[in-house]
Amino acid sequence: MTDETDAATAGWFSDLQPGDLEAAADAITEGRAEAPREWPATAVEDGYADSRDDYYDRLHEATMAATRTAVRKRERADDQQLVHAIRAMDDCERTANELAERLAEWAGTVDPDAGTGVEYARRLASGDEDGLEEPAIRSLAERVAGLADEADELREFVERQTPAVAPNLSALADPVLAARLISLAGGLEALAKKPSGTVQVLGAEDALFAHLRGHAPSPKHGIIYTHDAVRGTHPDERGSAARAVAGKLAIAARVDHYSGELKPELEAELAERIETIQARNAEDGDAATDGGTDDE
Amino acid sequence: MSELPTGVERRAFDGTERLATRGEPVYGEPTDGEWRAWNPNRSKLGAMLELGMDTGLAGGETVLYLGAASGTTVSHVADFAGPTYAVEFAARPARDLLEAAESRDRLFPLLKDARKPESYAHVVESDVDVIVQDVATRGQARVALENRQFLADDGRLLLAVKARSEDVTRAPEDVFEDVRAELEEGYEVVETERLERYHTDHLGIVARPL
Ligand SMILES: C[S@@+](CC[C@H](N)C(=O)[O-])C[C@H]1O[C@@H](n2cnc3c(N)ncnc32)[C@H](O)[C@@H]1O
């Protein structure tokens, strides 16, 4: 290369081989210039394009590729933010609860009326609890309250961000459950690629390990069972409800990942399906099959 | 009432006269053959045309569009204008913008921040005929001033100002007054009109660079 192009006066196409689309897209995304210039004319002069029309064809191709890549990258980054936030939220909650137990045990040795739980820690920390002077205990209570506050703030963050990353999932499940599913799958794209049967048992692995470690019952259900539509259904029909919810959530994740457009009909369809399932049990004694056929 | 640009027509859709351009549909708008209705309730530029503002648009011009979102308006612009640069900084709407640009080979989508013109000055050409701006963010006058460098001396700025984006607590008239005053650092305001009939608390501005 003899004459290096001056960065301040270079267009996106300077130093590019025509036809190298990837490099062109990078140049669109990464490049900068102090001021605009007559780029179409310059590109033709430089031999990057044969004509203005040819230049615009290349520009279209390059901006499409650049924007497509940049959009994907940004969205991927956003779903990873959620994954970290929800995990941090769970860690804060769990740690606050564990420390609150420790605190209650300790406080109980100096104050027979000591309470329990995070709420007790909050009261202690804010000084609303008299009869407990030990500064070390009060200080621990402050940590517990702080962690609990942090968990609340993280929950608010998740509630705010999830609808932007996954509008349909957030509409069908609540944003926190939506973020949990994304986190369990490892990201929105990974979730979008899971069949609904897998979505239905996501989270059951954790319960399975807890079970194996001996402090939880054998898991039958993924976290989908915390969905209102499943919890609100009679136990006999919960399996059907969970299948219906998992099916729609799997579709919602795909729409969120591939188009990102809000499709209100998904929510309506799920509501209708759940209503049918719940009606089965209401008509007590009806031949309620588990197969999922809607009997009219 | 000023004339419509070439490529924009009033046509009947289900018995109602509406603005229309020729191109692939983008947002579920009604179509009639190659023509697609341009909904002024979803487009500030559409509203400005419906209200007969003197946009100076003739058709075929080079356009820099700031705040393209999912491409509702900029797709109509690309249907009747020439090369159209569409700047949008949010990833989600930009995804839909890509789809609108798929069938429009002179529509160039750019995922960029309109407050940082240096990040796209290596792509957007100088002396564009028109800047359309609809960014609905704080500092709308500032954005117009910073992008003034792209505009030809005889070019036009077609600006939609959203009062609530500047300050939700102040009266829209006061906000518009401030935006206009700031804008006059770099532009001569030719015409203003409230877009109320189609967009609450929005002001349409046509301006020329000083
Ligand atoms: C009211 S919407 C635009 C609608 C669009 N003009 C239409 O009629 O189809 C405003 C858009 O401006 C975008 N925006 C806000 N600030 C921006 C900035 N600094 N740079 C680029 N785009 C911005 C927002 O992301 C949003 O999509």
Side-chain angles (χ1 to χ4, degrees), chain A residues 10-12 27-29 31-40 52-53 55-57 59-60 63-64 67-68 70-71 74-75 164-165 167 256-261, chain B residues 62 83 85 88-92 94-99 101-112 116-127 149-150:
Chain A
W12 62 276
I28 299 273
T29 304
R32 45 191 55 236
E34 269 162 31
R37 301 177 134 234
E38 252 299 325
W39 301 127
R52 258 188 121 75
D53 262 343
Y55 170 77
Y56 285 134
D57 287 343
L59 178 62
H60 187 256
T63 52
M64 291 293 286
T67 304
R68 195 169 284 125
V71 162
R74 274 260 278 285
E75 289 183 344
V165 177
D256 285 339
H257 177 66
Y258 293 104
S259 100
E261 202 180 314
Chain B
T62 302
Y85 299 88
E88 168 57 50
F89 80 163
R92 184 151 297 283
R95 230 193 228 212
D96 301 335
L97 175 62
L98 279 166
E99 245 169 79
E102 200 83 59
S103 65
R104 294 176 169 84
D105 62 0
R106 292 297 176 264
L107 177 54
F108 313 118
L110 294 167
L111 189 68
K112 304 277 183 185
K116 300 188 178 120
E118 70 280 4
S119 69
Y120 49 87
H122 65 305
V123 181
V124 177
E125 62 195 86
S126 54
D127 292 333
Q149 55 178 311
F150 293 98

Side-chain angles (χ1 to χ4, degrees), chain A residues 143-205:
Chain A
R143 302 297 139 204
V144 175
L147 276 171
D149 288 347
E150 189 62 38
D152 290 347
E153 267 165 41
L154 285 165
R155 179 178 294 271
E156 274 169 34
F157 174 87
V158 168
E159 284 171 348
R160 218 171 35 240
Q161 297 295 318
T162 314
V165 177
N168 290 290
L169 265 185
S170 304
L172 255 56
D174 71 290
V176 174
L177 176 55
R180 258 189 224 297
L181 287 166
I182 292 172
S183 162
L184 285 165
L188 181 57
E189 181 172 8
L191 183 61
K193 291 188 169 152
K194 298 219 182 295
S196 90
T198 308
V199 173
Q200 195 183 334
V201 296
L202 271 179
E205 309 89 321

Side-chain angles (χ1 to χ4, degrees), chain A residues 18-224:
Chain A
D20 188 348
L21 187 56
E22 208 173 304
D26 281 350
I28 299 273
T29 304
E30 310 291 341
R32 45 191 55 236
E34 269 162 31
R37 301 177 134 234
E38 252 299 325
W39 301 127
T42 314
V44 176
E45 270 163 39
D46 289 3
Y48 180 71
D50 301 335
S51 63
R52 258 188 121 75
D53 262 343
D54 183 38
Y55 170 77
Y56 285 134
D57 287 343
R58 290 179 188 283
L59 178 62
H60 187 256
E61 207 182 16
T63 52
M64 291 293 286
T67 304
R68 195 169 284 125
T69 309
V71 162
R72 286 223 186 100
K73 209 159 153 190
R74 274 260 278 285
E75 289 183 344
R76 205 171 311 141
D78 287 351
D79 72 347
Q80 290 308 316
Q81 294 298 303
L82 281 184
V83 170
H84 288 296
I86 195 102
R87 289 180 186 167
M89 176 187 115
D90 285 345
D91 287 349
C92 285
E93 246 164 40
R94 185 175 34 76
T95 312
N97 283 322
E98 274 173 21
L99 280 179
E101 261 180 59
R102 166 76 50 240
L103 174 78
E105 224 177 284
W106 188 359
T109 63
V110 293
D111 174 8
D113 298 328
T116 55
V118 169
E119 280 322 305
Y120 172 65
R122 281 194 202 277
R123 284 202 305 277
L124 254 186
S126 63
D128 287 351
E129 202 73 11
D130 25 64
L132 207 148
E133 302 303 331
E134 177 54 51
I137 297 180
R138 163 112 13 130
S139 172
L140 181 61
E142 280 165 10
R143 302 297 139 204
V144 175
L147 276 171
D149 288 347
E150 189 62 38
D152 290 347
E153 267 165 41
L154 285 165
R155 179 178 294 271
E156 274 169 34
F157 174 87
V158 168
E159 284 171 348
R160 218 171 35 240
Q161 297 295 318
T162 314
V165 177
N168 290 290
L169 265 185
S170 304
L172 255 56
D174 71 290
V176 174
L177 176 55
R180 258 189 224 297
L181 287 166
I182 292 172
S183 162
L184 285 165
L188 181 57
E189 181 172 8
L191 183 61
K193 291 188 169 152
K194 298 219 182 295
S196 90
T198 308
V199 173
Q200 195 183 334
V201 296
L202 271 179
E205 309 89 321
D206 286 2
L208 181 64
F209 291 130
H211 170 65
L212 293 177
R213 269 186 266 115
H215 41 248
S218 150
K220 293 186 224 34
H221 316 308
I223 54 160
I224 269 197

Side-chain angles (χ1 to χ4, degrees), chain B residues 42-44 65 67-69 71-73 87-90 93 112-115 134-137:
Chain B
R42 294 188 53 179
S43 167
K44 278 120 227 177
Y65 194 110
T72 305
T73 301
V87 173
E88 168 57 50
F89 80 163
K112 304 277 183 185
D113 185 340
R115 287 165 303 192
D134 179 16
V135 291
T137 179

